[in-house]
């Protein structure tokens, strides 16, 4: 036997705007920035000054390393002079001459080729100069141990050609310090013979 349905009185519709809303109590400024019970601060969006003055919305990078590489290749001095001093105790400083025969920009890198002379012993070298960070890697292409540089090592630095350190291929070698400044081109060797004249 089905149960009888209860008749309920009709309910009048109520407008949402008619429901009173209690205003939130005003909080002092100190409470707005103080951490809550769980230790977290409320999120505050960045101000417009951060967005406009190189902050979150500013440009990431305006430096052009490829353009600087071309500028370095055009303006870098081709002749350098200085000294190389091994880190061994009592080692004397040796005079150094460096000549750049080829300087070619390649992206943000500058590819270097030339000759390095240490205490009269000469070797060819190849290297790279990073136009963005001034990092230098200079590799002597020699088997001449008179230079005091073992094959497989390289000069590395973060100040271009001005200052670098020798990284030997073995841990037992203490390395050394190469310091250079731009210098004048070496004078050509003087001619030792007289003028040769023809017979006719």
């Amino acid at each position: 036997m089905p149960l009888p349905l209860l008749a309920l009185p009709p309910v009048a519709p109520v407008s949402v705007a008619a429901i009173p809303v209690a205003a939130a109590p005003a909080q002092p400024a100190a409470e707005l920035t103080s951490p809550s019970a769980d230790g977290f601060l409320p999120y505050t969006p960045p101000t417009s000054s951060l967005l406009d003055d190189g902050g979150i919305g500013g440009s990431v990078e305006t430096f052009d390393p490829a353009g600087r590489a071309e500028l370095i290749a055009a303006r870098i001095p081709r002749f350098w002079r200085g000294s190389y001093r091994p880190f061994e105790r009592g080692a004397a400083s040796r005079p150094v001459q460096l000549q750049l025969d080829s300087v070619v920009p390649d992206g943000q890198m500058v590819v270097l080729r030339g000759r390095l002379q240490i205490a009269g012993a000469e070797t060819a070298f190849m290297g790279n100069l990073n136009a963005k960070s001034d990092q230098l890697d200079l590799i002597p292409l020699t088997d001449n141990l008179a230079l005091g540089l073992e094959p497989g090592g390289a000069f590395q630095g973060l100040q271009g050609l001005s200052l670098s350190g020798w990284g030997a291929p073995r841990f037992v070698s203490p390395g050394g310090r190469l310091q250079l400044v731009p210098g004048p081109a070496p004078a050509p060797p003087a001619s030792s013979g007289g003028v040769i004249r023809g017979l006719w």
Side-chain angles (χ1 to χ4, degrees), residues 13 21 26 35 63 68 81-82 103 108 115-116 132 158 162-163 186:
V21 178
F63 177 68
R68 185 170 185 257
R81 296 178 181 271
V103 182
Q108 72 175 28
R115 289 170 287 165
L116 176 68
K132 185 174 183 179
L158 295 173
S162 300
L163 181 64

Side-chain angles (χ1 to χ4, degrees), residues 18-68:
I19 299 175
V21 178
Q27 297 179 355
E31 294 182 7
L32 293 177
T33 57
S34 61
S36 58
D38 54 2
F40 290 99
L41 291 173
Y43 171 74
T44 54
T47 59
S48 60
S49 61
L50 288 176
L51 297 175
D52 298 336
D53 300 336
I56 299 173
S59 63
V60 176
E61 182 177 7
T62 58
F63 177 68
D64 181 14
R68 185 170 185 257

Side-chain angles (χ1 to χ4, degrees), residues 136-149:
L136 173 72
D137 295 302
L138 203 66
I139 304 172
L141 307 174
T142 182
D143 292 332
N144 186 359
L145 295 179
L147 292 166
L149 310 176

Side-chain angles (χ1 to χ4, degrees), residues 80-87 93-94 96-98 100 112 116 118 125-129 133-140 149 153-168 174-181:
W80 295 72
R81 296 178 181 271
S83 62
Y84 170 69
R85 181 168 188 154
F87 292 142
S93 181
R94 306 172 187 176
V96 174
Q97 292 183 5
L98 183 140
L100 296 174
L112 308 174
L116 176 68
I118 299 178
F125 69 82
M126 61 182 293
N128 295 319
L129 177 63
S133 63
D134 284 337
Q135 179 178 347
L136 173 72
D137 295 302
L138 203 66
I139 304 172
L149 310 176
F155 288 102
Q156 295 181 327
L158 295 173
Q159 299 183 32
L161 289 172
S162 300
L163 181 64
S164 58
W166 171 250
R177 170 188 173 123
L178 177 66
Q179 191 165 6
L180 299 172
V181 293

Side-chain angles (χ1 to χ4, degrees), residues 184-197:
S191 175
S192 58
V195 179
I196 301 176
R197 297 182 180 178

